[in-house]
């Protein structure tokens, strides 16, 4: 791979595949980091498989968790918390 690794080093060591993947999946990667990881996945099948699986899980969770709460649910939760405290 001809691109220099743009990921920060961890304790003086090269960033691991998992560390790079986490930055990508958390949407914290720069354009340069995304390009590097995309090129890296062409040569690293475990990264490619992990990325595909984790990205699919993330999309599924976002789709399921972005629904709107029923009216009054937030207020009920606040009231219950206030009773406990």
């Amino acid at each position: 791979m001809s691109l220099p690794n743009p990921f920060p080093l961890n304790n003086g060591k090269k960033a691991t595949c998992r560390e790079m993947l986490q930055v990508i999946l958390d949407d914290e990667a720069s354009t340069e980091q995304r390009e590097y990881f995309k090129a890296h996945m062409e040569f690293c099948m475990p990264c490619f498989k992990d990325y595909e699986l984790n990205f699919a899980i993330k999309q599924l969770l976002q789709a399921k968790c972005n629904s709107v709460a029923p009216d009054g649910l937030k207020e009920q939760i606040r009231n219950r918390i206030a009773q406990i405290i």
Side-chain angles (χ1 to χ4, degrees):
M1 184 178 316
S2 62
L3 296 173
N5 187 329
F7 287 86
L9 300 180
N10 185 11
N11 298 329
K13 297 179 183 177
K14 184 175 130 183
T16 66
C17 292
R18 187 165 302 278
E19 289 169 333
M20 290 188 292
L21 178 61
Q22 195 61 51
V23 172
I24 298 293
L25 291 173
D26 288 346
D27 292 327
E28 296 173 350
S30 67
T31 301
E32 182 182 20
Q33 289 171 323
R34 288 184 189 287
E35 289 173 8
Y36 178 87
F37 191 75
K38 183 178 177 183
H40 172 79
M41 283 194 304
E42 292 178 19
F43 300 100
C44 184
M45 186 55 65
C47 278
F48 178 78
K49 288 179 180 179
D50 279 351
Y51 174 80
E52 292 293 318
L53 175 62
N54 282 289
F55 188 73
I57 291 169
K58 182 178 177 178
Q59 285 185 317
L60 178 65
L61 288 172
Q62 285 177 339
K64 296 295 180 182
C65 293
N66 283 339
S67 60
V68 178
D71 290 339
L73 179 60
K74 290 179 186 178
E75 190 60 35
Q76 288 176 5
I77 293 170
R78 284 188 194 108
N79 288 339
R80 289 221 179 155
I81 291 172
Q83 290 173 356
I84 294 171
I85 298 176

